[in-house]
Amino acid sequence: MGGLLALVILVSSSLLMFPSPAASLPLCTDSRSPSAPTTPLTFCPYNGSTCCNSTEDSQLQKQFQAMNVSDSGCATILKSILCAKCDPFSAELFTVATTPRPVPILCNSTVLANSSQSQAETDFCFTVWDTCQNVSIFNSPFAPSLQGQAGILVNASFTKLTALWQSKGDFCKAFGGASLDESVCFDGQAVKLNSTEAPSPPKGLCLEKIGNGSYLDMAAHPDGSNRAFFSDQKGYIWLATIPEQGSGGILEIDQSSPFLDLTDEVHFDVQFGLMGIAIHPNFAENGRLFASFNCDKSKWPGCAGRCACNSDVNCDPSQLPSDGGSQPCQYQTVIAEYSANGSASQPSKAKSAQPIEVRRIFTMGLPFTAHHAGQILFGPADGYLYFMMGDGGSPNNSGDPYNFSQNKKSLLGKIMRLDVDNIPSVDQINKLGLWGNYSIPSNNPFTEDNGLQPEIWAVGMRNPWRCSFDAARPSYFMCGDVGQDTYEEVDLITKDGNYGWHAYEGPYRYASEGNTSVQAKNFILPVLGYNHSQVNNKLGSASITGGYFYRSTTDPCMYGRYLYADLYAGALWAAVETPENSGNFTSSEIPFSCATDSPIKCDSVQGSSLPSLNYIYSFGEDNRKDIYILAYNGVYRVVRPSRCSYTCPKESVTNVSAPAPSTQPSGANLLVCRYSSLVCLVASLWLFLCGNM
Ligand SMILES: *[C@@H]1O[C@H](CO)[C@@H](O)[C@H](O)[C@H]1NC(C)=O
Ligand SMILES: *[C@@H]1O[C@H](CO)[C@@H](O)[C@H](O)[C@H]1NC(C)=O
Ligand SMILES: *[C@@H]1O[C@H](CO)[C@@H](O)[C@H](O)[C@H]1NC(C)=O
Ligand SMILES: *[C@@H]1O[C@H](CO)[C@@H](O)[C@H](O)[C@H]1NC(C)=O
Ligand SMILES: *[C@@H]1O[C@H](CO)[C@@H](O)[C@H](O)[C@H]1NC(C)=O
Ligand SMILES: *[C@@H]1O[C@H](CO)[C@@H](O)[C@H](O)[C@H]1NC(C)=O
Ligand SMILES: *[C@@H]1O[C@H](CO)[C@@H](O)[C@H](O)[C@H]1NC(C)=O
Ligand SMILES: *[C@@H]1O[C@H](CO)[C@@H](O)[C@H](O)[C@H]1NC(C)=O
Ligand SMILES: *[C@@H]1O[C@H](CO)[C@@H](O)[C@H](O)[C@H]1NC(C)=O
Ligand SMILES: *[C@@H]1O[C@H](CO)[C@@H](O)[C@H](O)[C@H]1NC(C)=O
Ligand SMILES: *[C@@H]1O[C@H](CO)[C@@H](O)[C@H](O)[C@H]1NC(C)=O
Ligand SMILES: *[C@@H]1O[C@H](CO)[C@@H](O)[C@H](O)[C@H]1NC(C)=O
């Protein structure tokens, strides 16, 4: 295990040193997601998902014709190189670190020399040289002076490669490169991913119950240990030791001594509370931790911020219907920083922290009482704090009537990205009109997209309920986004992506077509989702809970699949991406059961042997990449399939030590709720995310 952890740390630190903007994610050079063009391309051979529209296609055609290449072999190659701009991986092909290139990275043979791939495929750079070296090209994209300055033509003239470059070696040193795990190169054809058959879905997910509490969030301890922080909606944060799998142990949480008690500050109600926690990646050294919660300004003086409804976003707070409280923006969303310094010799040894705010990172007044997400997460590759925010609701919790989600000036209905390691001066904060103590990462999308508030990373969210980064591919950032009447979606979040709400709900038009203020330009379809009619539950309602890419070796049949759930239906889905890195996901509902030797016996659904989780609030991941389901009925861990008698041929039964069976007695859980019990619903304070309720 130690070796595995070390490897993970190595991988992530090398990513920190060489940030790749798109690491294997289909993405265009302008940071858009590829999409199907409304008019098919006539020049470039890219069908389906492409980074070009017909205008750009004909521009490339003109550029190609202007090159006036007489040699047909070279012309074919040049056309393919120009058209690589349309490749769904063009961001990766044309971008090294943050510098755009005039031509894509041409596959050369260095790295793959001994691989099974043929030389012809891997030596494309040599092929370009061999075929084009004596051919005159007008405005050659291979001029050395053009390196790193895409699109800037120096002097219009005919040149041959031999006039520009001394040798094939020099040429390929400048333009060559190889496909590695985290990058792709261009070999004359559209980027081809290893086409793999979609493996058959796992037989089922085996769970063990290791805790009775209801938690909303979990964050692995950044020291790499077997500990994790858990937080609940009321405002408690606990530090728990996670038992070894198969040990029969349960979560060690001392309910009487929370790590941090924020219940005095937190306003706890149906959709209000402590919504998320984030522990600084360097917590072991700096002791920094962050909480995202709601507060009531009529009850706590520290709860005072600018209202998200203001004249910048065509909203008059004095006209707000009273649903937002007895005064405009009575309730606020807050990110506050705390410190574990001083309570132990080093932060890693700390067992508690003082509820004294070190710093207020963010405060914003909420116009209504629903849809304000609130999850916070540190990006594993960039170290920035991602902050998920819903559309803020409305008097009937539906529709986003002020169109906040599509409004680039509003922070509602957005995913934000903040730098909490560089805190600017008060003067600067005021000058920039920031909402607290953070700075703006220099490559946030506002630098390319005029009119965007600088905090924004992605737009068009309704209520992003639980996002995660893939532990194996940090550019894969997935979010469940709660739907309204029709469709629950999972989005693959990219920089400056627009996920449609409220012009679209999932793939369906929501706001009327004629309403020009709600045209979601270039909106990105969800990669996964389900219709409300597909979930069978007695509440007649649905609300997605986004999960994780499963990257643990515990259940090898789940490896690489994205696991997510429906809050109400208690249903789980596992999605597979084929080919890998394509963004093409296929999902199936996955059965689950409780390990017979579960340390805490699972409650079962009345009249069946199925375990009852009740509401699935959230998921968690520990330092071993094992996955946890945080449900109303408790904390469940995904364990070896054989413990539930699910067959998984990849599970090596031989090297698994027999788990010590648990002797925990079972008993009546007074808090057990049946889905049909409305009383329970109210008691649980979770009429939660679904808009039509
Ligand atoms: C792309 O579309 C054209 C015609 O629309 C078709 O001839 C061609 O085979 C398609 N190519 C691929 C790779 O699907
Ligand atoms: C094609 O894309 C370019 C660049 O994104 C954009 O300026 C142009 O309006 C688009 N044209 C069409 C027809 O969509
Ligand atoms: C391209 O070649 C054609 C004939 O081969 C010639 O008439 C034309 O002037 C050339 N264009 C340029 C820009 O040199
Ligand atoms: C490639 O294979 C050759 C012969 O099979 C071997 O001598 C050489 O060391 C290999 N190179 C690398 C980088 O593995
Ligand atoms: C290009 O010119 C070089 C030197 O004159 C010659 O050796 C080579 O064969 C030529 N290549 C082609 C493809 O014509
Ligand atoms: C173009 O060429 C001329 C003469 O060779 C030179 O003076 C000029 O600086 C060049 N222009 C650029 C933009 O490089
Ligand atoms: C292949 O590309 C790399 C740059 O990614 C370069 O360093 C290397 O020299 C190239 N190999 C050859 C044989 O030109
Ligand atoms: C493609 O598949 C081969 C063989 O399965 C594997 O060695 C190689 O790493 C894969 N390439 C990529 C880019 O995944
Ligand atoms: C997407 O995945 C499905 C099922 O795994 C597969 O049949 C289909 O060919 C894939 N589509 C593409 C474009 O790769
Ligand atoms: C906590 O300790 C670290 C390391 O000594 C220090 O850098 C940081 O400023 C301290 N934070 C607080 C809030 O005292
Ligand atoms: C919510 O209220 C708006 C405006 O009053 C209305 O148009 C809409 O139909 C309502 N939606 C629901 C689901 O009741
Ligand atoms: C969890 O709840 C069950 C059923 O109420 C009870 O038997 C068990 O003792 C509880 N376990 C813990 C650790 O609280």
Side-chain angles (χ1 to χ4, degrees):
M1 208 63 221
L4 187 61
L5 286 176
L7 182 70
V8 169
I9 288 157
L10 260 179
V11 167
S12 48
S13 59
S14 69
L15 279 163
L16 275 178
M17 274 158 21
F18 308 108
S20 167
S24 291
L25 180 68
L27 201 63
C28 305
T29 45
D30 62 357
S31 83
R32 273 189 289 127
S33 264
S35 58
T38 40
T39 322
L41 310 187
T42 52
F43 179 63
C44 290
Y46 287 86
N47 298 350
S49 201
T50 172
C51 285
C52 291
N53 59 28
S54 52
T55 316
E56 291 155 318
D57 184 56
S58 55
Q59 274 162 2
L60 288 167
Q61 184 167 21
K62 285 202 191 91
Q63 192 186 342
F64 172 73
Q65 283 161 349
M67 287 181 178
N68 238 10
V69 176
S70 50
D71 180 271
S72 67
C74 180
T76 306
I77 280 183
L78 277 177
K79 178 182 169 184
S80 75
I81 287 173
L82 288 182
C83 283
K85 277 260 191 241
C86 302
D87 196 285
F89 287 86
S90 67
E92 183 116 1
L93 291 170
F94 281 87
T95 313
V96 169
T98 52
T99 319
R101 308 161 49 101
V103 289
I105 299 163
L106 308 177
C107 293
N108 74 11
S109 55
T110 27
V111 179
L112 294 175
N114 278 11
S115 83
S116 54
Q117 281 179 270
S118 71
Q119 289 289 326
E121 266 176 356
T122 57
D123 257 341
F124 182 65
C125 190
F126 282 11
T127 310
V128 175
W129 176 271
D130 292 342
T131 319
C132 292
Q133 59 173 316
N134 303 330
V135 179
S136 287
I137 303 169
F138 192 72
N139 282 348
S140 174
F142 299 109
S145 53
L146 292 176
Q147 272 293 321
Q149 302 170 43
I152 302 170
L153 290 174
V154 189
N155 254 337
S157 61
F158 277 99
T159 45
K160 298 179 181 180
L161 293 187
T162 46
L164 298 168
W165 299 94
Q166 295 241 309
S167 67
K168 176 151 79 175
D170 282 0
F171 176 77
C172 285
K173 201 173 233 153
F175 295 104
S179 279
L180 298 168
D181 274 358
E182 291 288 339
S183 66
V184 291
C185 61
F186 185 67
D187 68 359
Q189 310 277 317
V191 169
K192 272 199 292 291
L193 298 161
N194 272 350
S195 58
T196 38
E197 288 270 298
S200 51
K203 291 280 186 297
L205 208 61
C206 186
L207 306 175
E208 67 175 0
K209 184 173 180 180
I210 57 169
N212 276 342
S214 309
Y215 304 102
L216 274 202
D217 206 2
M218 165 178 172
H221 198 298
D223 70 358
S225 69
N226 61 342
R227 295 179 300 163
F229 295 88
F230 288 81
S231 64
D232 72 2
Q233 197 180 349
K234 287 195 201 108
Y236 291 108
I237 300 169
W238 284 279
L239 179 57
T241 302
I242 294 169
E244 277 293 313
Q245 288 213 23
S247 67
I250 62 166
L251 268 190
E252 281 170 38
I253 293 188
D254 182 355
Q255 294 288 339
S256 64
S257 62
F259 190 87
L260 184 56
D261 176 356
L262 299 177
T263 50
D264 286 348
E265 292 82 6
V266 168
H267 175 64
F268 172 46
D269 200 343
V270 181
Q271 290 200 31
F272 288 122
L274 172 54
M275 307 311 272
I277 53 173
I279 319 296
H280 194 282
N282 296 330
F283 175 82
E285 288 86 48
N286 65 24
R288 302 177 75 192
L289 70 153
F290 302 81
S292 166
F293 60 85
N294 305 115
C295 59
D296 177 347
K297 78 179 172 194
S298 73
K299 301 228 172 87
W300 180 42
C303 187
R306 235 187 305 160
C307 189
C309 164
N310 56 52
S311 55
D312 290 348
V313 294
N314 313 315
C315 182
D316 177 356
S318 68
Q319 299 296 308
L320 280 182
S322 62
D323 179 67
S326 58
Q327 47 179 305
C329 280
Q330 180 175 347
Y331 307 107
Q332 310 264 328
T333 181
V334 161
I335 304 175
E337 177 178 342
Y338 301 90
S339 172
N341 282 6
S343 64
S345 58
Q346 347 167 332
S348 278
K349 295 199 173 128
K351 298 218 156 43
S352 67
Q354 291 295 314
I356 300 165
E357 264 185 80
V358 174
R359 180 180 288 126
R360 178 64 60 85
I361 302 293
F362 189 96
T363 315
M364 182 172 76
L366 296 166
F368 305 105
T369 56
H371 308 170
H372 39 257
Q375 188 187 11
I376 46 177
L377 274 178
F378 279 100
D382 59 22
Y384 295 130
L385 191 70
Y386 289 76
F387 179 29
M388 283 30 104
M389 184 48 57
D391 68 12
S394 77
N396 61 9
N397 287 355
S398 78
D400 187 16
Y402 290 90
N403 191 25
F404 290 132
S405 292
Q406 287 297 319
N407 189 331
K408 294 176 175 186
K409 290 273 167 244
S410 171
L411 297 183
L412 293 167
K414 304 298 183 311
I415 290 173
M416 291 172 249
R417 191 175 76 149
L418 315 175
D419 179 350
V420 296
D421 286 338
N422 296 290
I423 310 297
S425 68
V426 175
D427 279 353
Q428 272 180 297
I429 289 167
N430 291 336
K431 199 172 130 220
L432 295 170
L434 304 182
W435 300 74
N437 291 293
Y438 54 86
S439 60
I440 303 292
S442 61
N443 60 345
N444 266 13
F446 79 108
T447 50
E448 297 126 46
D449 189 344
N450 276 338
L452 265 189
Q453 280 296 104
E455 291 86 352
I456 294 173
W457 182 250
V459 313
M461 312 305 294
R462 183 172 175 278
N463 196 18
W465 189 247
R466 295 339 205 186
C467 305
S468 69
F469 290 90
D470 182 356
R473 297 173 302 178
S475 65
Y476 266 67
F477 181 35
M478 297 273 269
C479 286
D481 192 21
V482 179
Q484 183 167 296
D485 307 314
T486 316
Y487 195 83
E488 302 299 307
E489 68 189 79
V490 181
D491 297 309
L492 183 47
I493 304 294
T494 54
K495 178 178 175 178
D496 206 14
N498 183 347
Y499 297 89
W501 179 251
H502 70 156
Y504 292 87
E505 181 185 359
Y508 307 116
R509 187 77 206 180
Y510 178 79
S512 71
E513 291 278 357
N515 192 343
T516 49
S517 69
V518 291
Q519 304 300 331
K521 256 195 127 190
N522 297 323
F523 103 98
I524 300 168
L525 282 166
V527 289
L528 287 164
Y530 51 93
N531 279 307
H532 285 194
S533 58
Q534 272 172 267
V535 294
N536 176 24
N537 73 81
K538 295 182 183 111
L539 289 170
S541 198
S543 182
I544 196 167
T545 301
Y548 280 87
F549 281 99
Y550 187 85
R551 294 295 179 185
S552 165
T553 50
T554 302
D555 181 349
C557 286
M558 267 301 289
Y559 188 85
R561 286 167 193 270
Y562 178 75
L563 180 68
Y564 60 104
D566 187 81
L567 177 96
Y568 294 112
L572 294 167
W573 287 266
V576 66
E577 186 189 29
T578 45
E580 212 181 333
N581 301 332
S582 65
N584 177 46
F585 288 88
T586 321
S587 182
S588 45
E589 193 174 338
I590 181 168
F592 56 93
S593 55
C594 191
T596 46
D597 58 357
S598 175
I600 302 174
K601 203 170 179 309
C602 299
D603 312 292
S604 53
V605 172
Q606 276 219 326
S608 91
S609 61
L610 293 174
S612 159
L613 311 183
N614 214 321
Y615 308 112
I616 298 176
Y617 295 146
S618 196
F619 290 84
E621 185 181 49
D622 69 12
N623 283 319
R624 290 180 164 182
K625 311 296 169 223
D626 275 318
I627 296 297
Y628 297 76
I629 296 172
L630 309 180
Y632 180 84
N633 277 359
V635 178
Y636 300 80
R637 172 164 58 186
V638 177
V639 298
R640 289 185 292 108
S642 57
R643 286 176 64 188
C644 290
S645 310
Y646 288 128
T647 49
C648 165
K650 293 181 202 150
E651 186 187 341
S652 152
V653 184
T654 46
N655 62 7
V656 166
S657 55
S662 155
T663 51
Q664 289 276 345
S666 70
N669 184 345
L670 291 175
L671 291 174
V672 171
C673 279
R674 262 170 262 120
Y675 289 125
S676 51
S677 159
L678 194 61
V679 176
C680 165
L681 245 188
V682 173
S684 76
L685 293 172
W686 271 84
L687 276 161
F688 201 51
L689 307 130
C690 195
N692 60 2
M693 300 204 64

